[in-house]
Amino acid sequence: MRIPRSILFAAILMIATSLHAQTANFSVGTATAAPGQKATGYLEVPAGVDPGTNIPVVVIRGSRPGPVLALVSGAHGTEYASIIALEKVIQTVKPEDIAGTLIVVPLVNLASFEKKVPHVNPVDGKSMNRFYPGKLDGTQTDRASYVITKEVVEKCDYLIDLHGGDLDEDLRPYSYWSKTGNAQLDAASRGMVLAFGLDHIILTTDRPTDPNASRYLDNTSTTRGKPSIAVEAGHAGTTEPQDVQALADGCLNVMRYLKMLRGTATPIEHPVWIGKVDSVTSDREGIFYPLVARGTYVQQGMKIGYVTDYFGNTIWEAHAPASGVVLYICSVPSMKKDDNVANIGEIATQ
Ligand SMILES: [Zn+2]
């Protein structure tokens, strides 16, 4: 049987059109966006042994097909620059400009943000980036982690987790690239971290490989076959424009790298690769005085700060355990025994 040319032509056109449009709605939590729409809603974390919470989420769905990228910040709700950066991305990115779908979760740890409590979720005292993939029968952090794993990680193709220096951390910007041994995954995440553009990159090779014990959000994504990176900028409660801009621009550059936005992503050339991070913790409680700034290059043994008692007597000195760059140093005088004083990044060759 001969198919009339006009029908054949129409069929080809239909196939071609379907390749250039997304059709179905896309839902994350209560946010449902049709192609070409931006929708807002919540990741509903049910009450359990402690109260539930509603985590805000935005879905920006382009009308052209493309990958699903998830951007998450505010696991630590007082790392403000990262939260403000994603607020900026939400306001900047329009559905008509993108191919694929952007999921934005700007503030995971609402209680930390509202109560100005660093490092942990004040509801249960847990860090909200250590209990992935989470579980429904745990405390609020466990349940929130479970909902984020199901609604965000499992629905995305790529993920970026944004952090920064917390209220007590004077941090210089850097990102993390995890090498898993899976060549395809590693090539994609390496492309993302170079496109993001921060000039210091910590290389990790020791993240858990069991998806059921992934602990960190980026690793939860990676162990499920979705390339991911973590990035940090901002420090000590500030929202300085260059930190916010570096994070927002980094997200847009990764979108260009993934062909979700038009334009070319210019990757960072010759970044400083950090092969090992040494944490310095205090031996004593008292008043901390830093002697170096974030980003300073220090020699092994160099005195980087000291602790006095409340009478002004020096009772402990902090020395650099290795030569490298001060990734962050404590930004406040409050010091307890075993608190983090500084992280020193040892330079690797790549
Ligand atoms: Zn953080």
Side-chain angles (χ1 to χ4, degrees):
M1 190 183 83
R2 274 189 64 121
I3 300 169
R5 265 184 85 142
S6 58
I7 292 177
L8 198 63
F9 192 72
I12 290 168
L13 196 69
M14 261 174 67
I15 292 164
T17 308
S18 71
L19 287 174
H20 288 280
Q22 328 206 67
T23 47
N25 286 346
F26 191 94
S27 295
V28 180
T30 64
T32 299
Q37 283 185 347
K38 181 186 274 196
T40 64
Y42 295 93
L43 302 170
E44 295 178 329
V45 179
V49 293
D50 49 20
T53 179
N54 285 328
I55 300 170
V57 61
V58 182
V59 176
I60 305 171
R61 186 136 171 87
S63 41
R64 288 173 292 133
V68 179
L69 171 66
L71 307 174
V72 181
S73 66
H76 305 126
T78 44
E79 294 174 354
Y80 295 121
S82 60
I83 297 159
I84 300 306
L86 285 196
E87 291 295 330
K88 202 168 174 152
V89 169
I90 290 168
Q91 291 161 31
T92 308
V93 175
K94 296 183 172 56
E96 56 268 31
D97 294 337
I98 68 169
T101 302
L102 192 64
I103 303 171
V104 189
V105 182
L107 180 52
V108 169
N109 193 343
L110 282 147
S112 153
F113 179 86
E114 286 168 358
K115 295 189 158 64
K116 306 181 192 78
V117 172
H119 306 297
V120 297
N121 177 355
V123 172
D124 56 16
K126 291 176 176 171
S127 167
M128 291 195 86
N129 194 27
R130 293 292 183 282
F131 292 89
Y132 283 98
K135 54 184 181 180
L136 275 181
D137 61 353
T139 61
Q140 191 187 83
T141 295
D142 299 302
R143 299 195 308 278
S145 302
Y146 178 85
V147 170
I148 292 169
T149 300
K150 291 285 162 205
E151 288 296 313
V152 179
V153 176
E154 290 185 1
K155 291 181 179 177
C156 76
D157 301 312
Y158 302 89
L159 182 142
I160 305 176
D161 189 19
L162 294 92
H163 290 260
D166 216 321
L167 287 180
D168 57 348
E169 294 170 346
D170 243 335
L171 177 143
R172 70 101 61 228
Y174 54 87
S175 47
Y176 293 89
W177 178 54
S178 281
K179 201 171 180 176
T180 64
N182 174 331
Q184 208 181 342
L185 195 72
D186 291 348
S189 57
R190 186 184 161 98
M192 288 168 72
V193 84
L194 295 176
F196 198 93
L198 299 181
D199 62 3
H200 283 53
I201 304 173
I202 298 173
L203 170 65
T204 64
T205 54
D206 57 354
R207 289 293 170 94
T209 52
D210 176 3
N212 296 314
S214 54
R215 295 190 69 204
Y216 310 94
L217 177 60
D218 60 339
N219 194 47
T220 303
S221 174
T222 303
T223 53
R224 283 159 179 75
K226 292 126 190 267
S228 74
I229 58 171
V231 298
E232 307 226 20
H235 56 102
T238 59
T239 55
E240 288 182 8
Q242 67 266 33
D243 290 324
V244 172
Q245 200 66 43
L247 293 175
D249 286 350
C251 292
L252 300 181
N253 264 330
V254 170
M255 290 179 72
R256 290 185 190 102
Y257 168 72
L258 297 174
K259 308 269 182 255
M260 295 175 71
L261 266 184
R262 290 199 172 86
T264 47
T266 309
I268 184 79
E269 286 182 58
H270 309 296
V272 176
W273 291 92
I274 312 284
K276 183 167 181 268
V277 177
D278 302 289
S279 291
V280 183
T281 53
S282 181
D283 256 10
R284 303 288 296 269
E285 66 166 34
I287 300 174
F288 176 66
Y289 295 86
L291 293 174
V292 294
R294 64 198 172 101
T296 306
Y297 277 76
V298 295
Q299 277 290 334
Q300 182 175 28
M302 187 185 279
K303 190 167 146 186
I304 59 172
Y306 59 96
V307 173
T308 71
D309 61 19
Y310 300 117
F311 307 107
N313 306 302
T314 299
I315 51 173
W316 184 72
E317 290 184 349
H319 294 270
S323 299
V325 57
V326 177
L327 295 173
Y328 71 80
I329 187 157
C330 182
S331 63
V332 295
S334 308
M335 186 56 70
K336 288 200 319 294
K337 186 177 174 348
D338 299 326
D339 270 1
N340 231 331
V341 168
N343 266 11
I344 310 292
E346 296 182 38
I347 313 305
T349 47
Q350 258 265 336

